[in-house]
Amino acid sequence: LASSYRFRGIDQTFNQPAIQGGVDLTMPYGFYVGNWNSNVNGNNAGMPGGNIEMDLYGGWKYAFNEDTGLDTGLINYFYPGSKGTGVPGTSTVYGQNSGMVYNLEYYIGANWKTVSLKQFFALTDYFNLKGLNNGSTSGSGYTDLRATYDLSDVHPMLGGFGLLGHAGYFYMNNYSQANYADWELGVTKDFGSGWNAKVSYIEAATQGDCSKAQFYCFAKNGYAADGTTTGSVQNAGKATYMITVGRTF
């Protein structure tokens, strides 16, 4: 359960709570497959008609030693029931392919102790989007750097508490106006028996000025046929606090 859902720093539920869950299957020799799901407000987040995000992924992990490892694989994000606008990109404005919105990515990353660096590369048009002059957004990418720190190393009374930090950068092929950096800083708590919680502060440096119709200006009820916003609007990367409570079985 989360107070809201942020994907790469971008609000997917327009400040509303999210119910999320998934399952992972590990196999011999480091191979794995999994599924993860969350509710979304697709009308405001660019997936018209989509209310559910479903992620399917599979990959391979390898540990060189107890401190260093490698992780590589594929992930497909898709939104059942969504329908892209079918509007082509022009010389000044981005567009979107028609049909169900999805995004297939390849990722590769490495970790050293509790620090990890992972790079994602879009193998298809990024969530059906088209760039300027209807250029392909395949090749867009996201860099994810994150680290955790066990506070029990500071004092035994802080056992179960931890710090987390994240910095990321997204770039869109053929539409640089969508590029941005994001960051998160938080505190985690392991309650035992699989229960855990997180409180964090998250922000994305997005161009979301709605008075200038910038890319990350999201409208609560989506957009009219002429492209104008409907309902309240916000910068989808604006700073916010998030609370998450979960359990691993």
Side-chain angles (χ1 to χ4, degrees):
L1 302 176
S3 58
S4 65
Y5 171 31
R6 291 284 180 117
F7 174 71
R8 296 174 178 171
I10 305 301
D11 192 347
Q12 304 294 295
T13 55
F14 211 85
N15 304 314
Q16 297 300 304
I19 300 175
Q20 304 170 336
V23 59
D24 292 306
L25 174 64
T26 57
M27 295 175 286
Y29 306 107
F31 291 99
Y32 64 88
V33 293
N35 161 249
W36 185 87
N37 314 275
S38 177
N39 60 290
V40 296
N41 183 337
N43 289 330
N44 85 84
M47 294 77 70
N51 297 311
I52 299 293
E53 174 185 330
M54 301 182 69
D55 304 342
L56 296 176
Y57 50 87
W60 174 72
K61 289 183 178 181
Y62 180 77
F64 296 99
N65 51 54
E66 63 180 16
D67 291 332
T68 309
L70 174 72
D71 182 16
T72 186
L74 294 172
I75 181 168
N76 190 23
Y77 312 83
F78 64 101
Y79 304 82
S82 62
K83 296 180 180 179
T85 61
V87 176
T90 69
S91 61
T92 58
V93 181
Y94 68 93
Q96 188 180 43
N97 296 325
S98 60
M100 184 184 71
V101 177
Y102 73 98
N103 181 48
L104 177 64
E105 292 183 337
Y106 166 72
Y107 58 86
I108 184 169
N111 73 280
W112 178 73
K113 295 186 176 180
T114 61
V115 178
S116 67
L117 178 64
K118 185 173 288 187
Q119 181 67 44
F120 297 81
F121 303 94
L123 302 179
T124 58
D125 284 330
Y126 191 74
F127 293 95
N128 286 37
L129 292 174
K130 284 292 189 179
L132 299 181
N133 298 311
N134 215 36
S136 173
T137 56
S138 174
S140 300
Y142 184 73
T143 304
D144 184 337
L145 174 65
R146 61 184 61 238
T148 60
Y149 181 74
D150 187 348
L151 288 175
S152 64
D153 293 340
V154 177
H155 194 283
M157 291 184 64
L158 296 176
F161 284 95
L163 295 177
L164 70 88
H166 154 80
Y169 184 76
F170 170 71
Y171 59 90
M172 185 179 289
N173 191 28
N174 286 315
Y175 197 72
S176 61
Q177 294 92 323
N179 297 1
Y180 68 91
D182 71 288
W183 63 278
E184 180 181 11
L185 183 64
V187 177
T188 61
K189 171 61 177 174
D190 183 349
F191 294 99
S193 300
W195 287 98
N196 58 82
K198 178 180 73 170
V199 178
S200 61
Y201 183 81
I202 186 169
E203 182 178 15
T206 49
Q207 298 184 40
D209 187 337
C210 295
S211 66
K212 299 179 181 178
Q214 292 180 333
F215 186 80
Y216 292 102
C217 169
F218 282 8
K220 183 175 183 179
N221 299 323
Y223 304 86
D226 61 0
T228 57
T229 59
T230 60
S232 58
V233 296
Q234 69 173 16
N235 179 348
K238 70 175 183 177
T240 188
Y241 288 98
M242 288 183 56
I243 301 173
T244 305
V245 177
R247 189 180 185 191
T248 302
F249 298 92

